[in-house]
Amino acid sequence: MIESLGSVVVTVPAQAASVHVLRAVVASVAARLELSIDAVEEMRIAIDEAAALLLQLDGATVLRAQISADASTVATLLSTDGAVVSEWPPPGAERSWPWRVITGLCDEAAFERSVDGPAILMRRDRGAGAGE
């Protein structure tokens, strides 16, 4: 098993039609890290849902995924340069369907502010299920 990975960063236009590129890169990195087939697919779905939340922001021109891994976790920070919002996450976001899916598929998820703007952090443990 690969113990560590530098940071993989991918930037695409902030359009629903570009999200497939992020899904493919995240799946490729997760597979390279020998996560189970189910874990790889769950990470792809989580990226879809996080992108759905971020693409709702006005003025977004890019989506940026930063993927990193160590011996115990794989983390993806999905961010956008969308309009500066005074309140992130927006009211009710924690009760939205995309957020419920993300938190159901990830071991940890959080709304954050990155240097780029609003972001969603998703972590997946590489524990016992990896490589099955």
Side-chain angles (χ1 to χ4, degrees):
M1 177 191 300
I2 296 172
E3 289 298 317
S4 158
L5 173 74
S7 188
V8 175
V9 180
V10 179
T11 303
V12 298
Q15 302 169 354
S18 299
V19 175
H20 75 281
V21 174
L22 299 176
R23 285 193 316 259
V25 171
V26 167
S28 179
V29 170
R32 178 79 173 111
L33 293 168
E34 300 177 4
L35 270 66
S36 70
I37 293 170
D38 289 341
V40 171
E41 186 58 27
E42 289 169 356
M43 290 180 70
R44 289 170 48 98
I45 294 167
I47 287 294
D48 264 345
E49 299 301 329
L53 288 170
L54 291 169
L55 287 173
Q56 294 175 14
L57 299 173
D58 291 332
T61 62
V62 297
L63 282 174
R64 180 177 185 263
Q66 181 174 349
I67 310 148
S68 57
D70 60 26
S72 61
T73 62
V74 178
T76 303
L77 182 68
L78 188 63
S79 61
T80 186
D81 64 344
V84 176
V85 290
S86 59
E87 192 170 356
W88 178 252
E94 287 93 353
R95 293 184 308 277
S96 69
W97 178 252
W99 188 248
R100 289 176 192 235
V101 171
I102 293 166
T103 56
L105 296 175
C106 297
D107 294 303
E108 179 187 347
F111 288 102
E112 294 194 352
R113 286 188 184 270
S114 74
V115 294
D116 298 319
I120 298 173
L121 175 66
M122 298 163 281
R123 291 189 202 276
R124 180 78 191 219
D125 290 341
R126 293 179 64 185
E132 291 179 11

